[in-house]
């Protein structure tokens, strides 16, 4: 797949309630082929945990591979919407169509997260936050000072960074953008529609809690809906609408 490294895709601005509609539309799409979607999501999770278990390299590899599989779910959602019967091979479509730019999306996003962590670490002394070494029986260091404002700042920064990634895999495989352009336009769309994105993230978190209640069996449905929501959100904001 050839990407356009100078392209830009302008996103529409929608109401905050669209964040919930993205989830509803994703659910109806998953419901058409529930078993296949569950198999796709389950297979990806097995791959994810297997890669994460690799010593030293596992954690960064999961960041690099995540956009590739996210793009595969986006492409599968587009095919399912067109009435195509999904196959397990759909899970690896990202490897075939846009391996390099999707890998770069993962690497760039990881770099942004590391920069954010460095920034937060540098701000801690300025905000009066002090870190003490963990005591016996504790695994994490102890923080002292105005913790609540620092946690609020951390949450806000992580949310802003998540906007860079939210639509990026879809923008690579469906709009042909380069990795940096995809992160940039995903962020711009997220900022313009942050209430919808925030509502979608909040409702997905709430649904995750509910999915965990019946012995975690609801996760088999929650994960496909999570991945397909990236497609329904992209379609609402970026897809060309027919007159």
């Amino acid at each position: 797949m050839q990407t356009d490294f100078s392209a830009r895709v302008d996103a529409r601005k929608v109401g905050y309630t669209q964040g919930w509609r993205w989830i509803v539309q994703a659910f109806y799409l998953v419901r058409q082929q529930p078993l296949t979607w569950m198999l796709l999501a389950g297979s990806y999770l097995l791959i994810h945990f297997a890669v994460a278990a690799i010593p030293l390299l596992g954690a960064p590899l999961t960041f690099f591979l995540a956009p590739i599989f996210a793009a595969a779910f986006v492409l599968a959602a587009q095919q399912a919407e067109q009435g195509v019967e999904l196959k397990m091979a759909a899970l690896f479509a990202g490897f075939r169509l846009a391996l390099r730019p999707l890998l770069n999306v993962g690497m760039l996003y990881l770099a942004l997260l590391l920069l954010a962590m460095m920034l937060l670490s540098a701000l801690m002394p300025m905000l009066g936050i002090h870190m003490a070494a963990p005591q016996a029986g504790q695994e994490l260091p102890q923080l002292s000072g105005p913790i609540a404002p620092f946690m609020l700042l951390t949450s806000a920064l992580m949310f802003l960074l998540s906007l860079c990634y939210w639509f990026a895999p879809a923008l690579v495989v469906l709009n042909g953008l380069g990795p940096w352009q995809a992160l940039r336009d995903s962020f711009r769309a997220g900022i313009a529609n942050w209430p919808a994105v925030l509502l979608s993230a909040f409702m997905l978190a709430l649904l995750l809690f509910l999915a965990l209640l019946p012995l975690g069996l609801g996760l088999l449905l929650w994960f496909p809906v999570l991945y397909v929501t990236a497609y329904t959100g992209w379609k609402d904001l970026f897809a060309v609408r027919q007159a």
Side-chain angles (χ1 to χ4, degrees), residues 16-139:
Y16 76 95
T17 57
Q18 288 299 107
W20 170 245
R21 289 184 59 84
W22 299 342
I23 299 174
V24 173
Q25 292 166 0
F27 172 77
Y28 283 120
L29 200 55
V30 169
R31 194 176 66 172
Q32 296 174 9
Q33 303 183 56
L35 181 58
T36 305
W37 281 111
M38 291 179 186
L39 288 173
L40 289 172
S43 299
Y44 166 62
L45 290 175
L46 288 176
I47 295 172
H48 173 84
F49 289 124
V51 171
I54 300 175
L56 299 179
L57 296 177
L61 280 176
T62 57
F63 272 94
F64 303 157
L65 294 176
I68 303 174
F69 287 105
F73 280 99
V74 165
L75 291 168
Q78 186 183 54
Q79 292 177 341
E81 190 175 44
Q82 296 169 354
V84 177
E85 184 178 353
L86 298 179
K87 306 293 184 181
M88 287 302 297
L91 185 61
F92 304 100
F95 288 91
R96 298 192 303 270
L97 299 178
L99 176 59
R100 185 171 179 178
L102 290 169
L103 276 174
N104 288 335
V105 165
M107 287 189 285
L108 286 171
Y109 184 55
L110 178 58
L112 290 174
L113 287 174
L114 292 175
L115 286 174
M117 293 174 62
M118 293 171 60
L119 175 62
L120 290 171
S121 297
L123 287 176
M124 287 175 63
M126 300 172 60
L127 296 174
I129 304 292
H130 303 285
M131 182 182 299
Q135 300 178 357
Q138 297 178 338
E139 297 182 359

